[in-house]
Amino acid sequence: MLHQSRIGVAITGCGSAAPVATLDNEGLSQVVETSDEWIRTRTGIQQRRLATPNESLKTIAAEAAHHALEMAGVAPADVDLIILATSTPDDLFGTASQIQAELGAVKAAAFDLTAACSGFVFGLVTAAQFIQTGTYRTVVLIGGDVLSRWTDWSDRRTCVLFGDGAGAVVMQADPEQNALLGFELCSDGSQNECLTLAFQPQSLELIEDITIGQGTFQPIAMNGQEVYRFAIKRVPEVIEKSLFRASLSVEQIDWLLLHQANQRILDAVAQRLGIPSHKVISNMAKYGNTSAASIPIALDEVVREGKVKPGDVIAASGFGAGLTWGAAIFRWGKS
Ligand code: ACO
């Protein structure tokens, strides 16, 4: 039963899109000194999709949202809010409103949300608040990133990991039940330097005594081992807390859907939680780490394959730069 003053949320559609260009590990070994064997065994990644200069976050994110709206049977004109979780906007002032125009979602408010690879989970919880308070009835949440723009293509420790893509879900008010069963969001800025895409200012003196900082963002820099340790400790913790809030046990989860960073992280987290591998959703072999897009792309794949069925309980967890991490336990589909 829902609390009387609260409206439930249902997740009624999903969609995804990725650039056409595909770079496999063999191809990548022409860019940096690496090998298919090293990348596969350390990460599980076999290929990644990369955006050309003619593609943009807007184009792939709008395509993903369009597919999600079609599945949900919702017209763009009926969307109240669009949230775009991204760290790689086409425009630092925000890309969500460009997507709103592209979709023809004429009455929707639209904004960007940045929480790196946790962005989709942070966005899911944010969208649910608007629906549960009765403010909006229909929200499109998109996770999209074009990390190839900010990857250091001379650094073999990071460039083998990332890829580009977008995934989306449609979330709608549901008077009968609440599909968001439990969640927990966390941040620890004291560990920010583990994973950065940082602005680097250079001094520009405008007039005497007034100097400002102008510059650009530096490519992604990562301490891989620290990030690995952080993920395998914090992700099981945050999933357990979210399950507690949902009054569910680990055994009641149908699917574990983690941010697709690295197969070894997925395996270690599943093992710590005692979740068998057939319940673990993994598609990073095909896409690499697509940051905020990885969870909704993987969700879209398993829903369209018919593996995930309406009513299934999914434990999703995002983790990454910030550092940020979070989990959401939700039921897929219309009630
Ligand atoms: N090809 C070949 N050799 C490589 C490569 C490569 N692509 N990269 C590193 N190496 C070498 C290193 O130079 C090093 O050689 P050395 O011992 O001769 O110096 C050796 O391999 C081991 O390097 P490490 O950096 O210690 O490799 P590690 O075993 O830690 O694996 C990895 C690296 C896969 C990145 C691992 O640390 C990891 O999975 N970390 C988590 C990172 C992650 O998932 N980040 C993203 C999450 S957050 C987000 O999504 C934004």
Side-chain angles (χ1 to χ4, degrees), residues 33-35 38-39 42-43 117 156-157 160-162 195 222 224-225 227-228 259 261-262 264-265 289 319-321:
E33 199 185 325
T34 189
S35 65
W38 195 97
I39 302 169
R42 302 278 177 133
T43 71
C117 303
R156 68 179 182 172
R157 289 167 304 133
V160 300
L161 303 174
F162 301 115
L195 186 49
M222 181 180 76
Q225 288 180 9
V227 172
Y228 182 84
H259 165 49
N262 182 313
R264 291 198 303 181
I265 293 177
N289 175 347
F319 50 92

Side-chain angles (χ1 to χ4, degrees), residues 152-168:
D152 179 350
W153 290 102
S154 66
D155 177 8
R156 68 179 182 172
R157 289 167 304 133
T158 54
C159 75
V160 300
L161 303 174
F162 301 115
D164 304 334

